[in-house]
Amino acid sequence: MSRRIAVIGGGASGIFAALGAKRTGADVTVFERNPIIGKKLLLTGNGRCNFSNLTLTGDHNAAFYSRGDILAQKILGKFSVKDTLKVFEDAGIIVYDKEGYLYPASNHASSVRDALELLLLREGAVIRTDIKVTGIKRHDGDHGFELTMCGEDGVMQTEVFDACIIACGGRAYPDTGSDGFGYKLCRKLEIPVVKPYPALTKCLYEEDPLSLASGVRCDCRITLMIDGAVSGSDKGQLQILKDAISGIVTFQLSGRAIRAFEEGRDVTFVLDLYPYNTDCGENDDPSGYGGMQDIEELLKLRRSHDGLKVKDIFTGIFVKPLSDAIFKKAQITDTDAKVSTLDESVIKDLARQVRNWEIKMNGHGSFAQCQVCSGGVDLSAVDEDLMVKDIPGLYVTGELLDVDGICGGYNLQFAMSSGIVAGRSAACNQCH
């Protein structure tokens, strides 16, 4: 007799958990509180669904932060990017590769959601929408799980399953149903949960002249300093806001920065607004021929230009709002003076501000503004198949786990891989 598996949550992880269980011979029911499954999928990749990345392999997971790196490596070793592409092929999804980033050819996340739903139905899974699972408890000693649920009509009901997979997401994008209820379900079952915080989101800074450049986007190398020590660095496009820094380069460091900030530690970002020098590596030179000049040498050269005003020294390098912010940071007020009047020490200070602009963190984006969460079910509580060690037959997958990574399809790939692994294990009679 086939094992009856309940999957709580119809996001990417839940869809793949159901698929993994169904293809291993189980009877599967997916419970989704929204009117459709895969609602959060519609938001991924700015609606284009960057679902994975070709740089992600089972033996190289620098894309995941230290807490989840080892587990991610093991899970991706069991279900890889190549395996995901095969599932997408089965679903009829045409895929294209943009510098390693994988997208559907339609460039619309809705086509991925629709195709995966059809695949799941073709495989014979039961999908129940507009229903919320409110409780899980052991049934008849250790023989399965009794789920309590509430439908759209408000009527409470119970149903018994042989195994249960909790795949209802974390707290990112709460409007999609990921409101943190999964953590509550886990805590009721005495499963340890590392306190979740937003990740892949903006970071607020204390009052600083940088706010004068609000709205500017520019290349930048950001170094994250925690209690005075380097904790990470990344290069990419920075988006400057009135009270925050944003953009992918910020997102990549935000998870660890936010956790440290919430722990009461000193968190500082050091911005290099001219990340093109050869001492940073040949690839940092956008000219492609090694012709970028050191910013200090460039400013010294411009200091010798007759008639050039201070306010024009960064013309052609930075847009005016950013130049104005640099002058204010360096406490230069007379920008109509001739640049030749600037002392060499002032030139050095201008260059230093450009290459080492320090801003202190004083807040961050909310769960509604983040892409994923940092924190979740403690990884020591689950085995390599994502079964809760103290509760055989109960599994936790996806964002609900304390695993988070950088932008680029990595988090979605982990969600799908973890779902498949849990689904297969839950359906395997010999495993229990």
Side-chain angles (χ1 to χ4, degrees), residues 316-388:
I317 306 173
F318 302 120
V319 295
K320 188 176 184 302
L322 186 52
S323 298
D324 291 344
I326 296 169
F327 293 137
K328 186 172 182 180
K329 186 78 168 179
Q331 299 182 334
I332 295 176
T333 56
D334 187 6
T335 58
D336 282 322
K338 290 185 177 181
V339 71
S340 57
T341 64
L342 295 179
D343 292 337
E344 188 166 326
S345 62
V346 175
I347 292 294
K348 284 183 176 294
D349 189 47
L350 279 172
R352 183 182 64 81
Q353 297 297 352
V354 169
R355 300 297 309 278
N356 295 277
W357 188 312
E358 295 187 8
I359 54 173
K360 191 173 290 293
M361 181 174 174
N362 74 344
H364 52 79
S366 66
F367 285 110
Q369 298 168 319
C370 72
Q371 294 184 17
V372 297
C373 291
S374 162
V377 168
D378 194 313
L379 301 185
S380 65
V382 298
D383 66 16
E384 292 184 8
D385 289 324
L386 305 180
M387 185 178 74
V388 179

Side-chain angles (χ1 to χ4, degrees), residues 103-122:
Y103 294 87
S106 67
N107 273 316
H108 286 278
S110 60
S111 66
V112 174
R113 193 218 70 83
D114 295 348
L116 290 176
E117 180 181 50
L118 285 175
L119 177 62
L120 207 51
L121 292 171
R122 287 206 317 269

Side-chain angles (χ1 to χ4, degrees), residues 26-304:
D27 291 329
V28 180
T29 302
V30 178
F31 295 95
E32 171 56 51
R33 64 192 295 181
N34 288 305
I36 61 170
I37 63 171
K39 186 174 181 180
K40 191 185 287 189
L41 269 174
L42 301 176
L43 302 177
T44 57
N46 290 322
R48 294 172 55 207
C49 196
N50 170 208
F51 66 89
S52 190
N53 200 298
L54 292 177
T55 65
L56 186 55
T57 63
D59 59 356
H60 178 69
N61 290 301
F64 294 94
Y65 298 117
S66 57
R67 298 181 313 280
D69 181 45
I70 295 175
L71 180 66
Q73 178 176 326
K74 291 176 179 177
I75 295 300
L76 286 159
K78 296 180 179 183
F79 190 81
S80 66
V81 175
K82 184 178 179 180
D83 296 323
T84 302
L85 289 171
K86 180 60 173 64
V87 171
F88 274 50
E89 181 183 344
D90 294 344
I93 302 168
I94 306 301
V95 173
Y96 78 92
D97 160 24
K98 184 178 180 181
E99 298 179 347
Y101 296 77
L102 298 177
Y103 294 87
S106 67
N107 273 316
H108 286 278
S110 60
S111 66
V112 174
R113 193 218 70 83
D114 295 348
L116 290 176
E117 180 181 50
L118 285 175
L119 177 62
L120 207 51
L121 292 171
R122 287 206 317 269
E123 296 281 345
V126 175
I127 300 174
R128 297 177 62 183
T129 56
D130 286 317
I131 189 165
K132 181 179 180 180
V133 174
T134 58
I136 307 170
K137 67 178 182 179
R138 275 295 196 184
H139 176 71
D140 190 21
D142 290 335
H143 300 289
F145 299 89
E146 180 179 290
L147 272 59
T148 304
M149 58 202 78
C150 180
E152 192 176 19
D153 55 8
V155 176
M156 301 299 294
Q157 52 188 292
T158 61
E159 197 166 343
V160 177
F161 294 87
D162 296 306
C164 180
I165 301 171
I166 307 177
C168 45
R171 291 188 63 186
Y173 299 124
D175 288 347
T176 64
S178 295
D179 59 1
F181 185 72
Y183 302 132
K184 295 179 181 178
L185 284 177
C186 291
R187 289 189 179 106
K188 285 181 181 179
L189 294 164
E190 298 184 350
I191 302 170
V193 176
V194 176
K195 185 175 181 178
Y197 292 112
L200 301 189
T201 187
K202 65 182 180 180
C203 293
L204 307 183
Y205 57 80
E206 292 181 354
E207 184 176 352
D208 190 275
L210 189 66
S211 62
L212 291 175
S214 178
V216 170
R217 295 175 183 265
C218 61
D219 285 345
C220 182
R221 182 182 297 278
I222 299 183
T223 300
L224 171 63
M225 307 290 292
I226 298 177
D227 292 335
V230 175
S231 180
S233 180
D234 202 76
K235 179 176 176 284
Q237 189 179 73
L238 173 71
Q239 181 180 4
I240 302 172
L241 305 176
K242 185 176 181 181
D243 60 353
I245 53 173
S246 189
I248 291 178
V249 69
T250 304
F251 290 0
Q252 310 295 48
L253 300 170
S254 62
R256 70 188 80 170
I258 290 169
R259 184 161 294 277
F261 174 79
E262 291 291 347
E263 291 171 353
R265 302 170 70 182
D266 181 82
V267 181
T268 299
F269 294 103
V270 181
L271 312 182
D272 180 355
L273 300 170
Y274 190 85
Y276 307 128
N277 293 65
T278 54
D279 61 346
C280 296
E282 185 179 348
N283 291 334
D284 291 325
D285 177 4
S287 68
Y289 62 89
M292 296 301 297
Q293 291 176 279
D294 176 81
I295 186 65
E296 184 176 340
E297 294 303 315
L298 183 57
L299 295 182
K300 286 180 178 178
L301 177 64
R302 293 191 173 190
R303 179 174 168 234
S304 65

